[in-house]
DNA sequence: TTCTATTTGCGAACCGTTCGCAAAATCATC
DNA sequence: GATGATTTTGCGAACGGTTCGCAAATAGAA
């Protein structure tokens, strides 16, 4: 599917509107509705993850299912994977100190990638 | 101001609509517009931080300005502060491994607090 | 080919949020 | 207090991203 391919190649979070625009650019025209439906489908499949940006717009990123964290470049928007082995330690600490049972977490890092710094 | 007090006492992320409802409950009626305006004011002051939840709704939390991370209880919604001294190490690692200049980050932990687990 | 099931596009509806504007409240000055 | 200027408020319309309903188009099965 073209939408999945666009996301895979982009390596950054894209909004539905942005994806729609890119489809038009490669003259594979589909309606915005279809873009939303496809994204929802891909999300349900676990092929795509989503986040809402500061403006409240939902954006989508191709993902392979396993959990890792993202470093998002403020320059080009490119997303790199980061792994965080320290999380296990956190889980432990949170439990001990706060009595908080950690079930999931999300982390995002913002800065500038090698090319944009 | 009543809105700031509500947020301070709630110790959880509340939506504008929820705050509006709580104001009505204590018969301090103001319009939704005023709630939004006040929240924007408090945010600009740094007295309130905001996040957008899964549904895309903006929610607000009382905060004291300095940066720390949050453990959000899936049971009661209560937010606890977590500190993460490991971040400095991360910054170092990201730079070394990925050539990524870390400027800011956000982390959220989800689980169950002592009372709700 | 024919009938059925699925996917698509369109436009309206939805919902949280913002905006414009006029009414109301507040404040400063006399 | 009365007067006029400034600020805050409420209302309703507008906005923008997303969802929904429905009928037309397409794909699949028999």
């Amino acid at each position: 599917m073209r939408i999945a391919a666009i996301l895979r190649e982009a390596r950054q979070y894209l909004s539905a509107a942005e994806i729609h625009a890119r489809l038009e650019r490669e003259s594979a025209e589909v309606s915005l509705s279809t873009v939303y439906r496809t994204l929802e489908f891909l999300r349900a499949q676990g092929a795509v993850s989503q986040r809402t940006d500061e403006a409240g717009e939902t954006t989508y990123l191709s993902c392979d299912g396993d959990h890792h964290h993202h470093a998002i470049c403020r320059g080009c928007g490119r997303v790199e994977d980061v792994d965080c082995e320290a999380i296990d330690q956190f889980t432990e600490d949170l439990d001990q100190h706060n009595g908080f049972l950690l079930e999931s977490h999300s982390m995002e890092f913002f800065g500038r990638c090698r090319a944009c710094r």
Side-chain angles (χ1 to χ4, degrees), chain A:
Chain A
M1 177 84 48
R2 284 272 61 222
I3 291 180
I6 285 179
L7 278 170
R8 225 175 305 112
E9 288 156 20
R11 285 195 166 73
Q12 58 180 282
Y13 281 98
L14 297 178
S15 68
E18 176 62 30
I19 293 169
H20 186 242
R22 294 193 182 205
L23 285 167
E24 280 190 338
R25 223 171 291 150
E26 52 188 64
S27 41
E29 317 223 356
V30 284
S31 71
L32 199 49
S33 305
T34 303
V35 174
Y36 276 110
R37 280 189 279 237
T38 308
L39 287 169
E40 166 54 24
F41 173 78
L42 292 171
R43 195 199 54 74
Q45 297 287 310
V48 152
S49 67
Q50 55 180 237
R51 71 182 290 269
T52 41
D53 65 16
E54 320 73 51
E57 210 175 9
T58 309
T59 55
Y60 304 83
L61 180 76
S62 180
C63 77
D64 54 6
D66 48 311
H67 182 74
H68 38 225
H69 308 298
H70 294 143
I72 302 174
C73 178
R74 286 218 172 92
C76 60
R78 182 70 160 271
V79 176
E80 298 177 27
D81 290 338
V82 181
D83 55 16
C84 170
E85 65 300 321
I87 274 299
D88 288 344
Q89 186 56 44
F90 264 143
T91 308
E92 200 66 22
D93 287 357
L94 265 176
D95 197 337
Q96 302 279 310
H97 286 102
N98 307 18
F100 193 94
L101 177 65
L102 187 59
E103 291 175 344
S104 69
H105 61 273
S106 82
M107 300 194 193
E108 292 173 331
F109 302 95
F110 302 94
R112 308 207 138 247
C113 74
R114 199 188 304 273
C116 295
R117 61 191 294 178

